[in-house]
Amino acid sequence: KQEVTQIPAALSVPEGENLVLNCSFTDSAIYNLQWFRQDPGKGLTSLLLIQSSQREQTSGRLNASLDKSSGRSTLYIAASQPGDSATYLCAVPPGSSNTGKLIFGQGTTLQVKP
Amino acid sequence: EAGVVQSPRYKIIEKKQPVAFWCNPISGHNTLYWYRQNLGQGPELLIRYENEEAVDDSQLPKDRFSAERLKGVDSTLKIQPAELGDSAVYLCASSSLGQTITYNEQFFGPGTRLTVL
């Protein structure tokens, strides 16, 4: 059974710092991995999607990497800003097929202080 | 392009009362998902539709929960009767699974926050 763990659960950093959020999953035979952002009281916004054949994806100040063999992904945020404050969730399918189902981690709540 | 629309945004009811949530997915998306998100947790899938067919409802508590997507577009999720433990955020998402073989990106609505007293 696929399980997803995110560490740390919460993180507080001063503005301008570079930071790394971690995600691990137990079944490495995944189809892809997605990182989402969730603002308080809001739905989820897709940030990056990495396919199983890829090692990383970049969007602006965000870079997500994927190491399937070790069951890990990291989300790197460069030059953090107060507007980056949110909960970040990673999610993977339960197996190697593209069924659409996603298993989510508990999320990392990030606070960037001005 | 409009995103996934959900209503109501908030609902407060007493236990044993019925409640219904509505979702309108992104136009053209054939796959629709209902998730439940408890406080401090990630979302958990309740049911997934491909067009009008429920293809994965293994996590749906069928004794009190029901869902429908009659014309393959809008969907409703119902709880009857509601229990205290049903308090959560109910999220709807949609995607165009099947129209791309490389990935399935899900787009989420703002959710309905349910409080059962």
Side-chain angles (χ1 to χ4, degrees):
Chain A
K1 178 184 175 184
Q2 181 72 273
E3 294 182 356
V4 181
T5 303
Q6 291 186 246
I7 295 174
L11 183 63
S12 181
V13 301
E15 181 177 4
E17 233 181 62
N18 302 323
L19 58 100
V20 174
L21 308 181
N22 297 292
C23 172
S24 61
F25 43 93
T26 54
D27 184 351
S28 61
I30 59 170
Y31 190 86
N32 56 34
L33 182 145
Q34 276 187 263
W35 281 95
F36 292 87
R37 168 183 173 142
Q38 187 173 31
D39 293 283
K42 302 287 181 64
L44 279 67
T45 301
S46 179
L47 295 174
L48 291 163
L49 184 147
I50 310 176
Q51 299 193 55
S52 59
S53 59
Q54 298 175 322
R55 286 196 169 269
E56 64 178 320
Q57 280 286 337
T58 297
S59 175
R61 294 182 293 108
L62 305 180
N63 175 276
S65 67
L66 174 63
D67 183 346
K68 279 185 56 178
S69 61
S70 66
R72 294 180 181 179
S73 175
T74 61
L75 179 66
Y76 176 83
I77 303 177
S80 59
Q81 302 171 357
D84 295 330
S85 298
T87 297
Y88 292 81
L89 296 132
C90 71
V92 296
S96 58
S97 59
N98 186 17
T99 64
K101 182 175 182 175
L102 290 177
I103 307 296
F104 283 83
Q106 314 94 307
T108 293
T109 298
L110 171 66
Q111 182 184 32
V112 181
K113 298 179 180 178
Chain B
E1 177 183 296
V4 176
V5 179
Q6 290 188 249
S7 68
R9 290 295 313 278
Y10 305 91
K11 190 73 177 179
I12 301 174
I13 62 172
E14 294 189 347
K15 63 180 181 182
K16 300 185 181 180
Q17 294 299 306
V19 64
F21 314 124
W22 175 80
C23 173
N24 181 245
I26 291 173
S27 177
H29 281 190
N30 60 333
T31 305
L32 183 145
Y33 313 77
W34 282 103
Y35 290 87
R36 177 169 59 188
Q37 185 176 24
N38 293 311
L39 189 64
Q41 301 295 317
E44 294 180 326
L45 182 70
L46 292 173
I47 189 168
R48 174 169 69 93
Y49 282 93
E50 286 186 17
N51 300 306
E52 343 31 271
E53 183 182 0
V55 295
D56 184 353
D57 63 355
S58 57
Q59 303 299 313
L60 190 72
K62 298 181 183 64
D63 57 337
R64 297 183 300 106
F65 286 65
S66 64
E68 61 182 13
R69 193 185 185 200
L70 292 176
K71 296 184 178 180
V73 180
D74 295 3
S75 177
T76 56
L77 176 68
K78 299 178 182 178
I79 308 175
Q80 182 171 13
E83 298 179 352
L84 295 177
D86 295 332
S87 295
V89 176
Y90 291 83
L91 295 162
C92 178
S94 70
S95 69
S96 59
L97 181 68
Q99 297 177 17
T100 168
I101 63 171
T102 55
Y103 65 86
N104 161 46
E105 185 173 13
Q106 295 185 26
F107 296 85
F108 282 76
T112 296
R113 182 176 297 276
L114 173 66
T115 302
V116 182
L117 302 175

